[in-house]
Short mmCIF file of all heavy atoms in Angstrom, two decimals:
data_model
loop_
_atom_site.label_atom_id
_atom_site.label_comp_id
_atom_site.label_asym_id
_atom_site.label_seq_id
_atom_site.Cartn_x
_atom_site.Cartn_y
_atom_site.Cartn_z
N ALA B 127 -20.35 149.60 12.57
CA ALA B 127 -19.91 150.91 12.50
C ALA B 127 -18.45 151.14 12.94
O ALA B 127 -17.72 152.09 12.49
CB ALA B 127 -20.82 151.92 13.18
N MET B 128 -18.09 150.31 13.96
CA MET B 128 -16.95 150.34 14.66
C MET B 128 -15.74 149.42 13.91
O MET B 128 -14.52 149.54 14.37
CB MET B 128 -16.96 149.83 16.15
CG MET B 128 -17.81 150.73 16.87
SD MET B 128 -16.80 152.30 17.48
CE MET B 128 -15.74 151.50 18.75
N LYS B 129 -16.13 148.75 12.91
CA LYS B 129 -15.20 147.84 12.33
C LYS B 129 -13.88 148.27 11.68
O LYS B 129 -12.88 147.70 11.82
CB LYS B 129 -16.00 147.11 11.24
CG LYS B 129 -15.85 145.58 11.27
CD LYS B 129 -16.66 144.93 10.11
CE LYS B 129 -17.63 143.83 10.71
NZ LYS B 129 -18.61 143.32 9.74
N SER B 130 -14.00 149.48 11.09
CA SER B 130 -12.79 149.90 10.29
C SER B 130 -12.25 151.35 10.63
O SER B 130 -12.38 152.19 9.73
CB SER B 130 -12.97 149.71 8.83
OG SER B 130 -11.77 149.78 8.06
N PRO B 131 -11.78 151.53 11.99
CA PRO B 131 -11.47 152.89 12.25
C PRO B 131 -10.27 153.60 11.55
O PRO B 131 -10.24 154.64 11.09
CB PRO B 131 -11.29 152.90 13.68
CG PRO B 131 -11.06 151.41 14.04
CD PRO B 131 -11.80 150.68 13.00
N PHE B 132 -9.36 152.54 11.34
CA PHE B 132 -8.04 153.02 10.65
C PHE B 132 -7.86 152.17 9.36
O PHE B 132 -7.98 151.01 9.39
CB PHE B 132 -6.91 152.82 11.69
CG PHE B 132 -7.11 153.43 12.98
CD1 PHE B 132 -6.71 152.53 14.05
CD2 PHE B 132 -7.65 154.68 13.20
CE1 PHE B 132 -7.01 153.09 15.35
CE2 PHE B 132 -7.90 155.15 14.43
CZ PHE B 132 -7.57 154.30 15.61
N GLY B 133 -7.46 152.91 8.25
CA GLY B 133 -7.41 152.21 6.90
C GLY B 133 -6.00 151.75 6.71
O GLY B 133 -5.10 152.06 7.52
N SER B 134 -5.90 150.84 5.75
CA SER B 134 -4.62 150.35 5.27
C SER B 134 -4.73 150.43 3.75
O SER B 134 -5.67 150.59 3.21
CB SER B 134 -4.38 148.93 5.77
OG SER B 134 -5.42 148.02 5.26
N PRO B 135 -3.49 150.13 3.12
CA PRO B 135 -3.57 150.17 1.57
C PRO B 135 -4.66 149.19 1.06
O PRO B 135 -5.22 149.38 0.05
CB PRO B 135 -2.15 149.82 1.22
CG PRO B 135 -1.33 150.25 2.35
CD PRO B 135 -2.09 150.10 3.52
N GLU B 136 -4.78 148.06 1.70
CA GLU B 136 -5.64 146.99 1.21
C GLU B 136 -7.13 147.30 1.53
O GLU B 136 -7.98 146.96 0.88
CB GLU B 136 -5.23 145.62 1.99
CG GLU B 136 -3.85 145.10 1.77
CD GLU B 136 -2.98 145.75 2.61
OE1 GLU B 136 -3.20 146.00 3.84
OE2 GLU B 136 -1.72 146.15 2.08
N ARG B 137 -7.26 147.86 2.72
CA ARG B 137 -8.74 148.23 3.19
C ARG B 137 -8.81 149.59 3.57
O ARG B 137 -8.41 149.92 4.79
CB ARG B 137 -9.07 147.23 4.14
CG ARG B 137 -10.60 147.20 4.41
CD ARG B 137 -11.10 146.09 5.34
NE ARG B 137 -10.64 146.50 6.82
CZ ARG B 137 -11.17 145.89 7.88
NH1 ARG B 137 -11.98 144.88 7.72
NH2 ARG B 137 -10.69 146.09 8.94
N LYS B 138 -9.33 150.46 2.84
CA LYS B 138 -9.56 151.87 3.18
C LYS B 138 -10.59 152.03 4.19
O LYS B 138 -11.54 151.35 4.20
CB LYS B 138 -9.87 152.74 1.95
CG LYS B 138 -8.85 152.70 0.89
CD LYS B 138 -7.63 153.50 1.36
CE LYS B 138 -6.40 153.51 0.43
NZ LYS B 138 -5.16 153.86 0.99
N SER B 139 -10.50 153.04 5.02
CA SER B 139 -11.50 153.34 6.08
C SER B 139 -12.46 154.41 5.79
O SER B 139 -12.09 155.51 5.43
CB SER B 139 -10.79 153.67 7.41
OG SER B 139 -11.63 154.33 8.34
N ASP B 140 -13.75 154.09 5.65
CA ASP B 140 -14.76 155.23 5.47
C ASP B 140 -14.59 156.25 6.50
O ASP B 140 -14.83 157.38 6.24
CB ASP B 140 -16.13 154.57 5.47
CG ASP B 140 -16.41 153.79 4.24
OD1 ASP B 140 -15.63 153.71 3.35
OD2 ASP B 140 -17.47 153.04 4.20
N ILE B 141 -14.41 155.88 7.81
CA ILE B 141 -14.27 156.86 8.76
C ILE B 141 -13.11 157.91 8.50
O ILE B 141 -13.40 159.19 8.72
CB ILE B 141 -14.01 156.17 10.11
CG1 ILE B 141 -15.14 155.22 10.47
CG2 ILE B 141 -13.79 157.21 11.32
CD1 ILE B 141 -16.17 155.71 11.53
N GLU B 142 -11.99 157.40 8.09
CA GLU B 142 -10.89 158.34 7.85
C GLU B 142 -11.25 159.29 6.63
O GLU B 142 -10.83 160.47 6.62
CB GLU B 142 -9.54 157.57 7.54
CG GLU B 142 -8.94 157.10 8.93
CD GLU B 142 -7.74 156.18 8.72
OE1 GLU B 142 -7.54 155.68 7.65
OE2 GLU B 142 -6.86 156.16 9.62
N ALA B 143 -11.92 158.78 5.70
CA ALA B 143 -12.35 159.71 4.52
C ALA B 143 -13.35 160.62 5.03
O ALA B 143 -13.18 161.92 4.67
CB ALA B 143 -13.02 158.67 3.47
#
Side-chain angles (χ1 to χ4, degrees):
Chain B
M128 293 283 283
K129 226 177 229 168
S130 190
F132 312 134
S134 61
E136 302 80 42
R137 195 174 67 166
K138 295 291 172 193
S139 160
D140 286 352
I141 300 262
E142 278 173 339

